[in-house]
Amino acid sequence: MLEELRRVVQEVSAVSDLSRALEIIVDRTQTIMASEVCSVYLFDEKSKRYVFRATRGLNKQAVGKISLGANEGLVGYVAERAEPVNVENVGDHPRNQYIAEIGEDAFHSFLGVPIIHQGQVLGVLVVQQKSKRKFDESEEAFLITLSAQLAGVIAHAKATGTLSLQRARRSSRLFKGSPGAPGVAIGTAVVIYPSVDLDQVPYRKIRNEAREVDRFEKAVVNTKQDIRTLAESLAGGLEQQELNLFDAFLHMLDDSAIPREVLRKIRKGQWAQGALRQVIQDHVSRFEVMEDSYLRERGNDIKDIGVRILGHLEKTDRRKLHFPRDAILVGNDLAVGDLAAVPIGRLKALVSGRGSVNSHLAILAEALGIPTAMGVQDLPMELIDGGTMIVDGFQGNLITAPTNSQKAYYEKVQKEELDLQRDLEGIKNLTCRTPDGKRTLLWVNTGLLSDVAKSLDRGAEGVGLYRTEVYFMMNEAFPTEEEQRKIYREHMQAFSPYPVTMRTLDIGGDKSLPYFPIKEENPFLGWRGIRVSLDHPEIFLAQIRAMIRASEGIESYLRIMLPMVSSVSEIDAAKVLIKQCYTEIKEEGADIEMPDIGVMIEVPAAVYQAADILERVDFLSVGSNDLVQYMLAVDRNNSRVAGLYQEFHPAVLKALYYVAQTANQAKKGVGICGEMAGNPAAALLLMAMGYQVLSMNSPNLLMVKKALTTVSFEQSKALLKEVLEMNSADQIKQRVENVLRENGLSQIVRSRR
Ligand code: PEP
Ligand code: MG
């Protein structure tokens, strides 16, 4: 059974056309289950009905013409209950509905299972028999398993496979993801794909056919050369039979084989990478459905050849450097490093197939004020490249080929946002004090030098988090001490006389350096932050020396902050190294103060050791992005569980309150630098808890200031007391947002949608 299941899923995945995929499903299911009928009904968004989409055994003429509502017939019953319905004799069932056109009079037994993807019923898969008998448990289990496995494939085919290229470019479609960074943008899609991933290569038209042919032919020559070199280097260690494999590879690259097919597609106007992708995929899908496991494996060989050719093609692709003025970067798994490729000013929005609002890509995008949608799945990458699209970063939605009325609506939203920003400009020089006199320091999170001017312009009074790893990520090798010193100094000079909090290198998790890859099963529970630094003192020492030396003669004072601390021994070890650097630099003759040292509270263990940590350092800063992920066991980067990532969770609020109280009792500095600090609703609670510093992405600063200068400290304290008694995150969020509304700040709540 398992093998049959695997084969059907493979076969369906290999086709891009939805109707064809459904045909295969009904055909294979009917055969495997030896049933007389198999049909699929799919939900239609427009009519809100389940449409009869494919059948084997019933009247094919009715396909596409018949549909059932969620409260109609047994199919509607399956969908409504979202569970299997197994009926011995449909005639006896109260929900049975007779539809003459379908031709099911002769079939008495019915087994229908829902097709569910991401909690939504996409459709219903049905098998029927003439005899009056209940399908047995193993048949039911098989159909449920098949449907569960096919749901994702059907969702993808539904999203991508129904449209021709021309129609996809012309017809407006909505793709839902989750919010990444606020704002909306209208622009042109530029698809970014990993240069080793053939499946993500988009469709692109070419003008210069001769150049494309030339590039492809050279790539083939180079790939052949690679294979020969590889074969020679392995010649001593392999059997002749294994070496023959290399000959087989070379044959595939003969002029009459794969290259001929690719060239044919190039001559029809496709670019070389796209043509290669189509040809390789066709071959691979033919191999993947073969019974024989040896032959199936040959599909992988063809893919391997394709990836090698692609690698050579990428090297000669000048087009990669072209970005239109209104570029919207789209990728299945965009990373922070991808932003470096786009000239500043041309990037209007980002769309990533993976990740969520708490991913580092989204955080950086928010800091740069770039509207972003995250976790937008099932994007037909090969179809959308180069087309016009709208990104709604508030909702996390993407609209391809927007209509004029959609454009007009979003232009209105853009204008409202601009108006709000303009209104807020008026308070940028105001001190952040509640009407009854409570002062809070509003600092910024930075990573790029380009953040500095915007931050100061918005009235930032310091840097609460300088993410040093952003600079490391843009480099091609570890930067030297001197290179780092220069960058850090520029940052400190720009912010002088305000304090600058530099976080030591925080890599691991979803932040990797191209020149220092970390491959782990569970990266967020792995080698991250201080753990890497302590295992590589040479990197840590160079960074600390660069930070301390950068501060020489500058008025603003330096604070060094350690990320991902989970025990005091890490702090003790790091302090020894920091003191060593300071002593050396003093001995070298510099006149420098010892910087303040602080720790980020990002791990639940650190919350409950706050008092012990405070005995060792000058300040604490809560990294709520990670703290929420670790407290709630919700991967901050996983769009599937993004709805469970709740900053207002009662347990999170209690932990945050405990940290603030502990630091205030110890008379030490306490701040928060996670995204929560930039949420005006959360800011009210944080101020009431006793956080002295709120550090955030600069675009949020004036909104937070508006909230804190409008609502009184007394009201916020009463609000905190009230919400600490509540037990649901949604209830707490609603209550705090209502307080903002009652204080005339509805537009700010709307803007955080
Ligand atoms: C945090 O975890 O809240 C934080 C500020 O650090 P980062 O988002 O860079 O992990
Ligand atoms: Mg963190």
Side-chain angles (χ1 to χ4, degrees), residues 232-246:
E232 277 161 25
S233 68
L234 294 175
L238 293 182
E239 300 289 327
Q240 188 53 43
Q241 200 190 353
E242 285 149 348
L243 286 171
N244 288 347
L245 203 60
F246 292 102

Side-chain angles (χ1 to χ4, degrees), residues 584-702:
E584 277 168 18
I585 294 170
K586 286 288 272 188
E587 281 167 9
E588 287 160 18
D591 176 21
I592 296 182
E593 293 278 303
M594 175 71 184
D596 278 0
I597 300 177
V599 159
M600 289 189 78
I601 304 292
E602 309 190 87
V603 178
V607 170
Y608 300 103
Q609 277 213 292
D612 301 318
I613 294 174
L614 281 162
E615 282 173 14
R616 291 163 165 81
V617 296
D618 305 298
F619 67 92
L620 300 182
S621 180
V622 175
S624 55
N625 304 338
D626 277 313
L627 186 60
V628 172
Q629 113 162 313
Y630 293 127
M631 283 199 71
L632 304 184
V634 174
D635 179 349
R636 63 191 267 187
N637 221 12
N638 183 343
S639 52
R640 202 179 281 175
V641 288
L644 296 175
Y645 186 100
Q646 296 170 322
E647 293 171 337
F648 289 97
H649 192 290
V652 171
L653 294 185
K654 289 194 172 83
L656 290 173
Y657 194 22
Y658 175 77
V659 172
Q661 282 177 314
T662 311
N664 282 315
Q665 270 158 20
K667 301 208 173 355
K668 294 267 173 98
V670 64
I672 172 164
C673 59
E675 290 305 289
M676 208 175 163
N679 178 344
L684 295 183
L685 299 180
L686 295 168
M687 170 192 60
M689 287 178 188
Y691 282 90
Q692 303 144 15
V693 178
L694 304 186
S695 188
M696 65 204 76
N697 280 332
S698 70
N700 293 327
L701 198 140
L702 292 177

Side-chain angles (χ1 to χ4, degrees), residues 179-465:
V184 301
I186 305 174
T188 309
V190 178
V191 172
I192 296 269
Y193 58 94
S195 54
V196 288
D197 193 346
L198 253 182
D199 296 334
Q200 291 188 41
V201 172
Y203 176 94
R204 279 178 192 161
K205 272 188 173 316
I206 43 159
R207 282 202 208 102
N208 189 340
E209 182 188 306
R211 195 181 83 84
E212 219 56 17
V213 167
D214 183 53
R215 281 199 321 118
F216 178 70
E217 285 175 340
K218 286 200 177 108
V220 172
V221 170
N222 288 330
T223 306
K224 281 183 174 168
Q225 190 50 49
D226 289 350
I227 294 171
R228 283 193 200 101
T229 313
L230 191 63
E232 277 161 25
S233 68
L234 294 175
L238 293 182
E239 300 289 327
Q240 188 53 43
Q241 200 190 353
E242 285 149 348
L243 286 171
N244 288 347
L245 203 60
F246 292 102
D247 288 333
F249 283 179
L250 290 170
H251 282 314
M252 287 187 222
L253 293 173
D254 282 348
D255 291 350
S256 59
I258 288 174
R260 188 166 62 185
E261 292 176 53
V262 176
L263 287 171
R264 207 178 294 143
K265 289 197 187 296
I266 292 177
R267 294 206 168 95
K268 283 190 183 154
Q270 261 264 43
W271 70 321
Q273 282 96 318
L276 176 72
R277 175 186 140 236
Q278 281 184 348
V279 170
I280 297 288
Q281 273 183 347
D282 282 353
H283 281 275
V284 170
S285 59
R286 260 179 259 140
F287 276 102
E288 272 176 349
V289 295
M290 289 184 178
E291 299 270 339
D292 185 300
S293 62
Y294 175 82
L295 286 177
R296 259 201 327 264
E297 204 37 48
R298 301 290 66 79
N300 283 338
D301 295 342
I302 293 192
K303 196 157 191 177
D304 183 49
I305 295 270
V307 170
R308 281 172 191 276
I309 303 176
L310 181 67
H312 285 293
L313 281 173
E314 292 289 314
K315 287 184 205 152
T316 55
D317 186 13
R318 276 186 273 131
R319 187 197 311 246
K320 272 207 304 190
L321 301 173
H322 176 70
F323 289 96
R325 290 189 180 283
D326 58 352
I328 296 181
L329 223 53
V330 186
N332 261 334
D333 198 5
L334 281 187
V336 171
D338 291 324
L339 303 193
V342 194
I344 293 186
R346 293 197 164 208
L347 185 58
K348 294 291 172 268
L350 295 172
V351 179
S352 176
R354 299 215 176 87
S356 74
V357 67
N358 303 295
S359 307
H360 284 95
L361 177 77
I363 293 174
L364 188 64
E366 180 167 357
L368 294 167
I370 299 170
T372 299
M374 300 291 286
V376 191
Q377 288 166 7
D378 297 322
L379 278 176
M381 295 297 184
E382 66 279 21
L383 302 184
I384 60 179
D385 191 53
T388 301
M389 57 170 55
I390 294 175
V391 175
D392 176 348
F394 297 115
Q395 305 290 337
N397 290 343
L398 168 66
I399 299 171
T400 57
T403 60
N404 286 341
S405 62
Q406 284 167 327
K407 281 192 199 156
Y409 170 79
Y410 280 100
E411 277 159 6
K412 196 167 138 258
V413 175
Q414 277 178 323
K415 185 170 172 305
E416 276 172 21
E417 275 301 298
L418 268 179
D419 290 347
L420 173 66
Q421 293 308 331
R422 232 170 266 139
D423 281 356
L424 292 173
E425 286 278 295
I427 60 165
K428 72 180 186 197
N429 295 321
L430 202 72
T431 303
C432 183
R433 215 183 281 286
T434 60
D436 47 353
K438 173 76 178 165
R439 173 86 164 100
T440 305
L441 294 171
L442 301 188
W443 292 4
V444 281
N445 297 347
T446 61
L448 299 167
L449 214 52
S450 58
D451 295 333
V452 175
K454 277 183 279 175
S455 304
L456 291 170
D457 191 44
R458 288 170 179 140
E461 301 169 289
V463 175
L465 167 64

